[in-house]
């Protein structure tokens, strides 16, 4: 199966205005598309939460571990992407790319399981203040659920190989990282340091440039590192990593009507998906 074609097919369906307040039709369409895609591989769990009088949904697919690994009762790896968008943008990079990769990882790991059980989650209301992930983390805490790792897929498809295309949220970072926006970034709390090394190496071995940044104090020293659904997991003490093309620090179409499929580097996105598969299998 051609991975790039599969990702493009998902992007075509997801890339549309889907703000949960002003573009409810598009939002519902994408929600149902994710539900239908997940349901090919197992029963879809719905985690509902309320924002005012509005009932919102996180969509969850649990995949079992590889029975041949001989290990049972392992804590799951949670892989997530948010499916809502801000008003006025079709949100191709933010975050149709993350959802497309999430759906392909569901297909890949449903047919060829990995050592750890996987929990794939499509979060709603990220753009409204990480509301879907915050509510879900509160549930995990109440139920004392453990996680091997949480991974937030947050904008994965914008790449620019020209020098000077990569910016950073703090001046000191410019001394240590490249100024060319052609890599995938891995940003994790200190609990994830061994996993950051492993994932970075897996990306590089699969042909995708990668850089990683471990943060202290839940990323509060560099606030832009907290701008996705991993942040509530950091705050709750879980090991969590954001996988990102660095969003507005690279992509000039961020939160704009111009965030369309035509601006994406589809080969880069495909490489990110392949690198994630390799990396997750090596955890």
């Amino acid at each position: 199966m051609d991975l790039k074609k599969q990702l493009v097919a998902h992007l075509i369906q997801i890339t549309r205005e889907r703000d949960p307040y002003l573009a409810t039709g598009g939002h519902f369409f994408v929600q149902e598309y994710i539900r239908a895609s997940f349901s090919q591989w197992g029963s879809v769990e719905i985690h509902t939460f309320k924002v005012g009088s509005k009932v919102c949904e996180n969509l969850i697919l649990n995949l079992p571990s590889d029975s041949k690994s001989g290990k049972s009762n392992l804590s799951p790896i949670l892989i997530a992407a948010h499916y809502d968008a801000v008003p006025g943008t079709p949100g191709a990079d933010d975050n149709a790319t993350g959802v497309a990769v999430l759906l392909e990882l569901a297909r890949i790991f449903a047919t060829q399981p990995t050592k750890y059980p996987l929990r794939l989650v499509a979060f709603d209301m990220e753009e409204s203040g990480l509301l879907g992930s915050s509510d879900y983390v509160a549930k995990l805490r109440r139920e004392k659920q453990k996680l091997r790792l949480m991974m937030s897929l947050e904008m994965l498809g914008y790449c620019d190989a020209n020098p000077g295309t990569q910016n950073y949220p703090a001046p000191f970072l410019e001394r240590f990282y490249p100024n060319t926006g052609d890599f995938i970034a891995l940003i994790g709390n200190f609990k994830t340091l061994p996993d950051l090394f492993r994932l970075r190496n897996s990306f590089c071995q699969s042909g995708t440039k990668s850089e990683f940044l471990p943060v202290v104090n839940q990323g509060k020293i560099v606030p832009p590192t907290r701008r996705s659904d991993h942040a509530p997991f950091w705050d709750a003490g879980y090991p969590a990593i954001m996988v990102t093309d660095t969003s507005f620090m690279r992509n000039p179409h961020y939160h704009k009507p111009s965030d369309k499929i035509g601006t994406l580097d589809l080969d880069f996105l495909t490489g990110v998906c392949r690198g994630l598969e390799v990396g997750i299998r090596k955890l």
Side-chain angles (χ1 to χ4, degrees):
M1 192 171 286
D2 188 316
L3 179 59
K4 183 177 172 181
K5 285 183 179 175
Q6 289 287 109
L7 289 167
V8 170
H10 292 313
L11 287 173
I12 289 168
Q13 298 301 317
I14 300 162
T15 303
R16 63 186 66 224
E17 291 204 25
R18 55 188 187 280
D19 164 61
Y21 292 102
L22 302 178
T24 53
H27 183 266
F28 180 73
F29 178 92
V30 171
Q31 193 178 72
E32 289 303 303
Y33 182 77
I34 296 166
R35 193 195 315 263
S37 297
F38 273 176
S39 66
Q40 297 175 79
W41 316 116
S43 59
V44 182
E45 180 186 333
I46 310 296
H47 170 246
T48 60
F49 61 100
K50 291 188 83 172
V51 178
S53 60
K54 187 176 182 64
V55 178
C56 308
E57 293 184 353
N58 297 324
L59 307 174
I60 303 161
L61 174 67
N62 288 293
L63 295 176
S65 59
D66 183 358
S67 57
K68 301 189 199 73
S69 71
K71 296 186 178 182
S72 59
N73 300 320
L74 292 172
S75 298
I77 296 172
L78 189 156
I79 309 167
H82 75 87
Y83 65 91
D84 59 316
V86 297
T89 175
D93 197 25
D94 186 14
N95 187 34
T97 53
V99 176
V101 169
L102 185 74
L103 298 180
E104 277 307 286
L105 292 178
R107 177 185 65 81
I108 289 165
F109 289 119
T111 50
Q112 292 181 295
T114 187
K115 179 173 73 171
Y116 287 93
L118 299 180
R119 184 174 303 166
L120 299 111
V121 185
F123 282 127
D124 197 4
M125 305 297 279
E126 188 266 359
E127 300 287 7
S128 299
L130 315 180
L131 301 181
S133 52
S134 295
D135 199 90
Y136 188 69
V137 167
K139 177 180 184 288
L140 296 183
R141 290 287 300 275
R142 283 195 305 273
E143 298 173 359
K144 296 184 169 59
Q145 288 195 42
K146 294 180 179 178
L147 295 176
R148 163 66 180 82
L149 178 66
M150 184 273 180
M151 302 176 76
S152 175
L153 310 181
E154 177 62 60
M155 302 180 64
L156 306 178
Y158 193 85
C159 176
D160 193 329
N162 291 305
T165 51
Q166 183 64 54
N167 298 301
Y168 293 95
F172 71 89
L173 294 172
E174 295 169 4
R175 300 178 202 165
F176 303 102
Y177 293 95
N179 74 347
T180 302
D182 62 350
F183 60 89
I184 195 73
L186 308 167
I187 302 168
N189 52 354
F190 253 85
K191 289 183 175 183
T192 67
L193 194 55
D195 291 332
L196 289 170
F197 273 108
R198 288 191 197 101
L199 287 166
R200 192 272 310 270
N201 291 341
S202 293
F203 274 114
C204 293
Q205 287 165 15
S206 63
T208 299
K209 293 180 183 178
S210 178
E211 300 286 344
F212 71 84
L213 173 68
V215 301
V216 295
N217 193 29
Q218 294 85 51
K220 290 170 184 172
I221 296 167
V222 186
T225 63
R226 294 178 50 82
R227 292 180 65 164
S228 191
D229 288 313
H230 60 290
F233 288 83
W234 282 356
D235 294 342
Y238 287 106
I241 293 171
M242 173 170 58
V243 185
T244 181
D245 63 18
T246 74
S247 178
F248 62 92
M249 285 168 279
R250 177 187 306 175
N251 189 341
H253 308 286
Y254 173 75
H255 284 186
K256 292 180 180 176
S258 55
D259 184 8
K260 297 177 179 178
I261 295 172
T263 66
L264 303 176
D265 185 323
L266 298 170
D267 291 323
F268 178 73
L269 178 64
T270 306
V272 169
C273 190
R274 286 205 179 98
L276 280 167
E277 181 198 354
V278 172
I280 290 162
R281 292 196 187 282
K282 289 184 176 179
L283 291 176

